[in-house]
Every structure is written in structure tokens, then in C-alpha cells.
Amino acid sequence: MFSESVQMFEANFPEYSKLLIVINAPWFFPMFYKCIKPFVVEKTAGKIHIYGKNRKEWMEFLGSIFPVHVIPKVYGGSNGIEIPLLQQ
């Protein structure tokens, strides 16, 4: 059922997103993704980047993809846009 859903999504929306970045993922999320990754086409899986609580790691990645003036300050950039954060 799940693999059929993934295949249907990829067949109908092959270029739906260019990049998916998950930051501050809970500890179980990388394990969950590792389980579903075999059902995801390699091209799509290459677009997905998952980062945990290691702020330095995901800030370096964001900085390598986007110019610093585009990234909000809360995520290590210089853009003053207000982004509400979810309280943990």
C-alpha cells in the first residue's frame, strides 16, 4: 500500500519539488526515512536531506545552497524576515 502510494506520487509529480530539507528532525526520523527510502526513486531520494539537532551541520548545508542574505537569521542567515518557530 505505502509503496504504491509513493509510486503514484512519483508518477504524477516527478518534479514536484527540487529540494526537501528537514532540519531539527526528531531522533527517530532518520530511521523512519531509511525504512521508506527503498520505495523512493533514487532521483527523488537524492533531493531529500535530513538533519537532526546538529545546528552547525545544517547551517553549513543551507549556506552551501542559498545565499546568506536569503536565509532567515533564525536559520543562520542575514535576512531579517520574521519566521515563527514551533515551540518544543
Side-chain angles (χ1 to χ4, degrees):
M1 175 79 172
F2 179 76
S3 64
E4 291 173 2
S5 298
V6 171
Q7 290 172 350
M8 187 179 357
F9 176 80
E10 290 180 337
N12 293 303
F13 304 100
E15 295 299 323
Y16 187 68
S17 62
K18 185 171 182 165
L19 187 65
L20 174 65
I21 305 168
V22 178
I23 58 173
N24 291 329
W27 64 270
F28 63 86
F29 196 81
M31 290 186 293
F32 170 74
Y33 178 65
K34 198 174 199 177
C35 292
I36 65 166
K37 191 173 181 179
F39 300 105
V40 179
V41 175
E42 188 175 330
K43 183 177 180 181
T44 302
K47 298 176 182 182
I48 301 171
H49 302 271
I50 301 172
Y51 295 97
K53 304 288 183 195
N54 186 341
R55 185 177 175 87
K56 182 180 179 191
E57 186 178 274
W58 55 261
M59 282 178 57
E60 284 179 11
F61 180 76
L62 288 178
S64 71
I65 300 295
F66 304 105
V68 71
H69 71 276
V70 174
I71 303 171
K73 287 181 182 178
V74 70
Y75 296 114
S78 63
N79 191 326
I81 190 169
E82 298 268 338
I83 304 265
L85 295 177
L86 297 175
Q87 298 298 319
Q88 294 185 11

